[in-house]
């Protein structure tokens, strides 16, 4: 990819979350000059469940990220599932594609570690740098960004400056102001979730299982409304657990119409349906109950156009099945970097654009069918009577729960494997792509 005299880098990445840092790492590892721009300053918090599925762990392994226990990482064997008065402990499946364990790490630690890893790979990280808009050439193609330094309180400090690069990656989260500034609007026909979480102290902080409660009531269990979603407890190994809940709607309009006070819902859930045996004690110094939106199923696009790639939450790369987004953000960074580095070696503008467009093709080929299944799943569980049937008759059957674990966690063999893997892989191929 030819660079103009005024180019500051081969690629500019907006946002240093998992998707942005993954993109920066892989681009730098391919020999590209990378500017990674982060509005905040590390370490900084991010609302999340802090759980990493085996799919996410596999991406960390590919990146070469050290995951030592002494650095704050904790492994888990699988998922302990509760519902309908029953519970199962389900190990993560043994696959050739992904490791047989998950992990947990607070986002404050995870994001900082990933940004440092990108730096170690050669990316230049600029913290406290707010991207204010795109730079365009005469044809309307984005050729960089305008950015302004911020002080420690997040206030503008110094003049707006221009930073130029042939490619810009928008990885600036669910609101993605940069994506909006280049006309990438949110789709209203994709699921939207909301999650809230807080940290609690418990003697079971190193429990080998993450815990999921499939029945999410907005009051007394069995005597109130059953909501589409689940509650969780994710052990962090540092004396605390991440406790939270997430609910999902098939469209943003349905979510708004529900009018749920999610912080109050979590308080009610803990009061009325408190998970037994955890002896949870709230950690005020770790912050109150906090919430965030979960953009799902590719709710913003196109994934590539006019010099801008979308990655992670900015593209709605959150699973409608379980609210997981870290694995897909890390994957998007890897795939984006391959397209960007290959495009750099094409001889014509047309060839470069075609090569950059392969990023969208590859991401949709891998996740489009799975996200479509997820949209259908959300439409089903929006009906409380269906949820009751699923919990009542599905949970007592371990084979059903093993199928459900693979489907909801996106941990199955895409080629070969057992009958469960083949069924899920077949379904993702025959449904329309998201």
């Amino acid at each position: 990819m030819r660079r103009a005299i005024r180019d500051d880098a081969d690629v500019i990445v907006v946002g240093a979350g998992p998707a942005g840092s993954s993109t920066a790492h892989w681009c730098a590892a391919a020999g590209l000059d990378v500017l990674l721009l982060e509005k905040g300053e590390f370490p900084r918090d991010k609302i999340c469940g802090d759980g990493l599925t085996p799919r996410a762990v596999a991406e960390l392994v590919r990146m070469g990220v050290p995951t030592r226990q002494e650095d704050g990482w904790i492994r888990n064997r699988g998922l302990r599932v509760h519902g309908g008065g029953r519970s199962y402990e389900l190990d993560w499946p043994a696959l050739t594609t992904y490791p047989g364990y998950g992990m947990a790490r607070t986002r404050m630690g995870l994001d900082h570690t990933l940004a440092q890893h990108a730096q170690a790979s050669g990316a230049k990280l600029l913290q406290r740098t707010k991207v204010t808009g795109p730079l365009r050439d005469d044809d309307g193609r984005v050729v960089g960004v305008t950015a302004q330094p911020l002080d420690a309180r997040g206030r503008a400090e110094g003049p707006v400056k221009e930073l130029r690069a042939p490619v810009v990656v928008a990885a600036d989260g669910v609101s993605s102001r940069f994506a909006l500034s280049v006309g990438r609007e949110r789709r209203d026909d994709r699921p939207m979730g909301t999650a809230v979480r807080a940290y609690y102290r418990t003697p079971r902080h190193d429990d080998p299982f993450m815990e999921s409660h499939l029945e999410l009531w907005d009051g007394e269990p069995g005597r109130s409304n059953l909501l589409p979603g689940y509650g969780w407890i994710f052990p962090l190994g540092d004396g605390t657990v991440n406790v939270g809940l997430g609910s999902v709607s098939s469209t943003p309009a349905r979510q708004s119409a529900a009018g749920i006070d999610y912080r109050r819902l979590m308080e009610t859930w803990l009061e009325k349906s408190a998970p037994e045996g955890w002896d949870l004690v709230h950690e005020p110094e770790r912050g109150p109950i906090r919430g965030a939106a979960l953009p799902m199923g590719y709710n913003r696009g196109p994934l590539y156009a006019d010099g801008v790639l979308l990655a992670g939450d900015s593209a709605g790369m959150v699973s409608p099945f379980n609210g997981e987004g870290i694995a897909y953000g890390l994957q998007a960074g890897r795939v984006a970097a391959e397209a960007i580095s290959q495009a750099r070696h094409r001889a014509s503008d047309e060839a470069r654009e075609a090569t950059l467009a392969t990023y969208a093709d590859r991401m949709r080929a891998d996740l489009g069918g799975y996200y479509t299944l997820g949209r259908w799943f959300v439409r089903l569980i929006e009906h409380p009577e269906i949820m009751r049937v699923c919990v009542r008759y599905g949970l007592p059957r371990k084979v059903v729960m093993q199928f459900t674990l693979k489907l909801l966690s996106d941990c199955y063999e895409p080629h070969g494997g057992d009958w469960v893997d083949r069924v899920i892989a077949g379904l993702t191929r025959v449904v329309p792509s998201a």
Side-chain angles (χ1 to χ4, degrees):
M1 194 177 297
R2 290 177 298 175
R3 290 176 55 178
I5 295 175
R6 296 181 59 195
D7 279 349
D8 298 282
D10 294 315
V11 56
I12 291 174
V13 183
V14 182
S21 289
S22 173
T23 306
H25 157 75
W26 287 112
C27 283
L32 303 184
D33 292 334
V34 184
L35 279 179
L36 177 59
L37 311 181
E38 167 60 35
K39 184 173 68 174
E41 183 176 20
F42 291 108
R44 52 107 172 101
D45 199 11
K46 176 71 183 292
I47 310 305
C48 185
D50 299 337
L52 300 167
T53 64
R55 186 178 183 118
V57 175
E59 293 294 339
L60 295 174
V61 171
R62 286 189 183 99
M63 293 173 68
V65 176
T67 55
R68 298 179 293 264
Q69 184 175 357
E70 57 266 30
D71 294 332
W73 301 86
I74 181 173
R75 293 190 181 190
N76 51 68
R77 284 179 48 188
L79 197 63
R80 183 182 297 113
V81 182
H82 297 273
R86 298 178 175 87
S87 65
Y88 275 113
E89 289 184 348
L90 303 171
D91 287 338
W92 293 117
L95 306 172
T96 61
T97 313
Y98 308 121
Y101 64 91
M103 302 195 82
R105 180 86 189 273
T106 66
R107 285 295 298 273
M108 184 174 288
L110 173 68
D111 288 14
H112 194 188
T113 295
L114 293 178
Q116 289 177 319
H117 192 69
Q119 282 184 291
S121 301
K124 182 179 180 181
L125 173 65
L126 298 181
Q127 302 182 68
R128 286 168 32 189
T129 301
K130 179 182 179 181
V131 173
T132 57
L135 286 177
R136 297 181 184 270
D137 63 15
D138 294 339
D139 296 324
R141 189 182 190 278
V142 174
V143 292
V145 304
T146 56
Q148 187 170 33
L150 305 176
D151 65 16
R153 296 185 180 182
R155 299 175 301 190
E157 182 181 59
V160 174
K161 56 185 176 180
E162 295 183 351
L163 299 171
R164 293 180 175 269
V167 180
V168 177
V169 178
D172 50 339
V174 54
S175 60
S176 192
R177 290 182 174 86
F178 191 81
L180 289 173
S181 72
V182 296
R184 312 285 176 89
E185 299 289 341
R186 187 184 71 187
R187 295 184 58 162
D188 290 331
D189 61 344
R190 293 292 189 262
M192 180 65 74
T194 299
V196 291
R197 66 95 171 104
Y199 294 100
Y200 291 78
R201 183 162 294 280
T202 174
R204 292 175 57 185
H205 64 97
D206 56 355
D207 192 282
F209 286 89
M210 297 197 294
E211 191 160 291
S212 177
H213 294 254
L214 299 183
E215 291 180 296
L216 183 59
W217 302 90
D218 63 0
E220 195 73 32
R223 299 181 181 180
S224 57
N225 295 319
L226 183 61
L227 303 176
Y230 71 98
W232 70 74
I233 303 176
F234 294 165
L236 295 173
D238 62 353
T240 68
V241 289
N242 181 311
V243 181
L245 59 86
S247 184
V248 63
S249 299
S250 56
T251 66
R254 288 183 67 97
Q255 185 188 52
S256 298
I260 298 173
D261 182 341
Y262 287 94
R263 289 173 178 79
R264 178 56 188 157
L265 176 62
M266 182 166 161
E267 292 171 352
T268 300
W269 177 66
L270 288 172
E271 177 186 351
K272 303 293 185 180
S273 309
E276 297 181 0
W278 285 91
D279 300 325
L280 299 174
V281 178
H282 187 240
E283 289 268 272
E285 64 274 16
R286 293 288 299 273
I289 297 173
R290 299 180 63 193
L294 301 174
M296 297 176 167
Y298 288 144
N299 81 331
R300 184 182 279 117
L303 297 182
Y304 173 74
D306 301 322
V308 177
L309 293 85
L310 307 185
D313 284 3
S314 68
M317 293 181 182
V318 174
S319 168
F321 283 109
N322 64 1
E324 155 72 0
I326 296 174
Y328 308 114
L330 295 173
Q331 176 186 349
R334 171 171 53 86
V335 177
E338 184 169 340
I340 294 167
S341 59
Q342 288 293 334
R344 185 169 182 257
H345 296 278
R346 299 302 184 261
S348 67
D349 290 342
E350 292 77 10
R352 284 191 288 270
E353 288 300 300
T355 303
L356 289 169
T358 62
Y359 163 69
D361 296 337
R362 287 183 58 187
M363 292 302 297
R364 290 193 179 281
D366 191 42
L367 298 175
Y370 181 73
Y371 282 169
T372 295
L373 291 177
R375 296 206 316 270
W376 295 352
F377 170 77
V378 171
R379 290 172 188 165
L380 285 175
I381 66 172
E382 281 184 319
H383 302 282
E385 61 274 12
I386 294 178
M387 273 291 292
R388 289 190 179 95
V389 169
C390 290
V391 171
R392 181 179 302 166
Y393 297 105
L395 195 64
R397 293 164 175 80
K398 193 164 187 176
V399 66
V400 174
M401 293 310 300
Q402 290 170 333
F403 177 92
T404 302
L405 176 66
K406 285 190 173 185
L407 178 64
L408 268 61
S409 65
D410 198 6
C411 290
Y412 62 91
E413 298 281 14
H415 304 285
D418 61 18
W419 70 270
V420 173
D421 300 316
R422 293 193 294 273
V423 167
I424 297 174
L427 288 173
T428 65
R429 296 189 189 110
V430 301
V431 301
S433 179

